[in-house]
Amino acid sequence: MKNLIFTLIILVTAVGCSNEPSSNQPIGEKVLLISFDGFRYDYLSKTDTPNFDKLVETGVISKGLIPIFPSKTFPNHYAIATGLYPENNGFISNSMYDPEMDAIFSMRDREAVENPDWYQGEPIWNTVEKQGKKAGTMFWVGSEAPIQDMHPTHWKVYDQSMGDSARIDTVVKWMSYDDPKQVDFATLYFHFVDSQGHRYGTDSPEVVEAIERADDLMGYLIQRMEEHGLIDHTNLLVVSDHGMANVSRERIVVLDDMIDPNDIEIIEYSPSLMANVKNGDPAAIYNALKEKEENFKVYLKENIPERYHLKNHPRVPDLLMVADIGYTINTQEFFDAREDYPSGAAHGFDNREKEMHAIFIGSGPAFRSGYRMKAFENVHLYELMADLMNITPAPTDGTIDSVSVMLK
C-alpha cells in the first residue's frame, strides 16, 4: 500500500512539474489584430452588424481610434505596428522622398515596400519573436521587409486577390494549437471597405454592402476560432487605419491660382500635399500660398504643428498643404484631364477631423465586458498588445496607461 501511494505521489509531481504541455493545450493568451482599411468610427450605425455587435456587447468599443497624421494607409498601419509617430518611425506618408538615400518610396513599388531601409522603429512582430514567442502576419505594412534582419515566423507578400475566407483560414491555422509553429500574435487585413468608400462615397449602398461583408467575415472568423478552440484564449483587436470624408468637384483648390506648379515637385498628393521647391525660394512659394490660404492650410517644414509629430524627420519636404475636410488640392491640368475627379470619398485630412477617426473594438479574456471608452490615439495599441502578451515593449510614443482602463 505504501509503495502504491509513493508511486502516485511521484506521478502527480511529475505531471505538475512538466515543462512540456501537450500540443493541443492552450499556452497563455494570444492576440489577433484585424484591420478593415477605411472603416470609419461610425460605420456600425449604417446597417445591421450582428457579429460586430456581439463583440461590442462582450468587449470594449471606443468612440473612435484617432489616426496619426497624415491619415493615410501606410503611415497608420506602421504607427499601429510600432507605437511610434511618423517622425520617429520614418513613415511620413504613402509616398515619400529620402534625401539621404536619394530614393522615392511608393506603396505600389514592390522593391521599395520590401526594402528595410524605409522602416524605422521596432514592429510588434519583431518584439514578439525576440522574446521567444511566434508571430504571423497576413498583410501588414512592414511585415514584408526584413526589418532588423528579421521576419515573422509566418508572413505573406501582399496579394489583393487572395480571398477573404482564405486569409482567415490561413491565420487560424497559424494560431492553432496543433500547429508545430503555432503563433502567439497574428494580423489580418482587408481592403474592400476602403475601396468602396473611395469609389462611391461614405453614404453609398456599396459602402453599406462592404460593412455587411465585413460583419459576415467576423462571423466566419469567430466560427473558425471556436472550431479550433481559440476563441476563449485569444484577444481580438478590430481596428482601422483611418476614416473617410466625401469629396466633390465643387470643393477644389487649384494650385495654378496661387503659384506656378512647375516651381514645385509634388511628392505626396491631396489632401495632405507634400512638395519640395524646385525653382525659387521656399519662403516665397510659401508666402504666395499663404496670401490666398482658403480651404487649406500651408506650412513650411519648420512651422508644421507639433501635434502632427511629423516635421522632425529628414523625409519631410519643404512644404505641407493640408486641405480642409472635403476639399481636394491639385493642378489645373490634373483637374482638366479628369472630368469626374474628385468624387467618392478620401482620407489624409487633419487627424483631428472626426470623419478621419477609425474603429476600435477589443474582445477577449483580457477585456472588460460591455465597456465604452473615449477615443484614443492608435500609437497606444503597440503597448496594449505587448501588455496582453506579457512581453516587454520596445521604446514607443504610446503608453499602456492611456488604454489600460479597457482591461479587466
Side-chain angles (χ1 to χ4, degrees), residues 8 85 219 227 235 242 245 270 272 293 309 334 370:
L8 288 172
Y85 292 119
E227 291 170 357
N235 290 299
H242 52 71
S270 185
S272 48
E293 190 178 57
H309 302 284
F334 197 94

Side-chain angles (χ1 to χ4, degrees), residues 62 64-69 76 79-80 83-86 239-241 306-309 351-352 357-358 360 373-384 397-399 402-403 406:
S62 71
L65 184 63
I66 303 169
I68 55 93
F69 179 84
N76 274 281
I80 290 170
L84 296 171
Y85 292 119
V239 304
S240 180
D241 46 354
E306 295 292 339
R307 66 182 181 86
Y308 285 163
H309 302 284
N351 58 340
R352 277 186 176 174
H357 291 190
F360 171 82
M373 68 176 291
K374 66 180 182 180
F376 63 93
E377 292 184 314
N378 64 15
V379 293
H380 300 303
L381 290 174
Y382 173 100
E383 293 275 349
L384 174 62
D397 293 317
T399 64
S402 297
V403 290
M406 70 174 73

Side-chain angles (χ1 to χ4, degrees), residues 124-139:
I124 184 68
W125 51 84
N126 278 12
T127 308
V128 168
E129 296 276 351
K130 285 180 178 181
Q131 296 183 47
K133 296 177 181 285
K134 291 183 173 64
T137 53
M138 177 63 73
F139 309 154

Side-chain angles (χ1 to χ4, degrees), residues 256-273:
D256 306 57
D257 295 341
M258 299 170 286
I259 62 171
D260 181 349
N262 293 316
D263 289 340
I264 63 173
E265 180 181 10
I266 299 175
I267 296 167
E268 179 65 291
Y269 282 84
S270 185
S272 48
L273 186 147

